[in-house]
Amino acid sequence: LELPESSYSSIIKGDFAEKEKKKVSFDIDTEGLKKTEKLFYDFALESNSKVIVCKDNLVVLDKTPFYAESGGQEADDGTLNGIPVKDVQSQNGVIIHIMEKDPGFKNGMEVHCVVDKKRRMQLIAHHTATHLISAAARNVLGKHAWQEGAHKGVEKAHIDISHYEKLSSKQIREIEATANSYLQNGIKVIMHEMDRKEAESKFGFSIYQGHGVPVARPRIVEIHDMNGNLVDAEACGGIHAM
């Protein structure tokens, strides 16, 4: 059965339309606030953090284990002092926790943060998988096969790859087999910041998959096989498997 081309966009919209968010500005002056310390890059799932601002149901902490939605990866869920966190967003480097209700926190008080571990692990797996599929697509189709976008949710994830023609069944199977082979043979993930010029010189401009905007010190995610061969290297702010 041959599906019409419009079916694919309909499928994607059906999967992710309810998760699409409009750009919103929060009623907090983040310009004058210090950037939030990101504990999630150390895979933290809990912390005792200090409240910097609490306004209605919006909470800013000095440090947080909660990953803020970015790069197509959905935000962490969890609780602050047992009160549900329903969304996490970043504005000017300041991470804003959108609570289920006004928690009534006072500035300067300490709160206990707990991230939903099961959700975090699923998002990590899906985000890492998109890197492997992107690498597999370039391996099978050629270096021109560029990531145009991606979404990493809990139930499923997708990645958009550019190519000059519709993929054949054989190419799809090859991409799937190649991505699976990376996992079956084992991978090692290294995440670190690098000077932009050094990163571009070492890995080329393919680090900007998904049309990421170059910054002075991008966070580079390297994936190697167990023999030390490079599988993929991208500038990415998400959380990945180790």
Side-chain angles (χ1 to χ4, degrees):
L1 176 65
E2 187 72 17
L3 288 174
E5 292 295 330
S6 60
S7 297
Y8 297 100
S9 59
S10 298
I11 291 169
I12 291 173
K13 285 180 181 178
D15 287 341
F16 300 105
E18 74 278 5
K19 298 182 178 67
E20 289 178 357
K21 291 183 170 63
K22 294 180 180 179
K23 291 290 183 181
V24 293
S25 58
F26 299 97
D27 191 20
I28 290 180
D29 182 14
T30 54
E31 292 287 351
L33 297 179
K34 184 179 179 180
K35 291 184 179 181
T36 310
E37 183 181 348
K38 300 173 180 178
L39 303 179
F40 47 80
Y41 281 147
D42 293 321
F43 297 94
L45 291 168
E46 295 188 42
S47 74
N48 291 315
S49 302
K50 183 172 73 174
V51 175
I52 303 300
V53 175
C54 180
K55 187 172 184 181
D56 299 324
N57 69 325
L58 307 177
V59 177
V60 175
L61 305 171
D62 63 336
K63 57 183 180 291
T64 183
F66 284 85
Y67 179 81
E69 179 183 15
S70 64
Q73 180 178 329
E74 294 181 7
D76 284 328
D77 282 352
T79 61
L80 300 184
N81 277 9
I83 301 171
V85 176
K86 68 176 186 179
D87 194 12
V88 188
Q89 298 289 324
S90 180
Q91 185 171 286
N92 300 318
V94 175
I95 294 178
I96 302 172
H97 306 74
I98 298 91
M99 309 296 293
E100 189 175 82
K101 62 180 182 179
D102 184 344
F105 296 156
K106 303 299 182 184
N107 294 354
M109 74 178 285
E110 187 177 272
V111 295
H112 187 57
C113 310
V114 179
V115 172
D116 183 330
K117 182 178 180 180
K118 184 177 179 180
R119 176 183 173 86
R120 162 75 68 79
M121 296 307 294
Q122 191 69 10
L123 292 171
I124 283 176
H126 279 163
H127 200 144
T128 307
T130 60
H131 282 243
L132 296 177
I133 293 171
S134 179
R138 293 193 299 278
N139 185 300
V140 173
L141 304 175
K143 292 183 179 179
H144 67 277
W146 207 267
Q147 177 186 325
E148 296 294 332
H151 184 101
K152 303 96 177 180
V154 174
E155 295 181 0
K156 59 182 70 177
H158 83 266
I159 183 170
D160 306 317
I161 301 291
S162 62
H163 187 49
Y164 52 78
E165 62 183 3
K166 184 177 179 179
L167 298 185
S168 66
S169 297
K170 180 181 177 183
Q171 288 171 321
I172 293 172
R173 288 195 300 270
E174 286 180 355
I175 292 171
E176 181 179 3
T178 301
N180 284 335
S181 72
Y182 296 144
L183 289 172
Q184 290 163 356
N185 295 323
I187 59 171
K188 182 178 181 180
V189 183
I190 303 170
M191 294 162 279
H192 57 104
E193 288 189 356
M194 291 182 69
D195 177 77
R196 178 177 60 82
K197 290 184 178 179
E198 180 186 357
E200 291 172 355
S201 175
K202 184 174 182 179
F203 303 113
F205 289 96
S206 63
I207 58 174
Y208 302 122
Q209 296 294 320
H211 302 280
V213 179
V215 295
R217 287 188 61 79
R219 183 171 178 272
I220 301 297
V221 178
E222 298 180 43
I223 300 179
H224 298 260
D225 64 22
M226 300 311 290
N227 293 319
N229 300 309
L230 183 67
V231 172
D232 184 57
E234 296 183 28
C236 183
I239 315 177
H240 307 77
M242 292 293 285

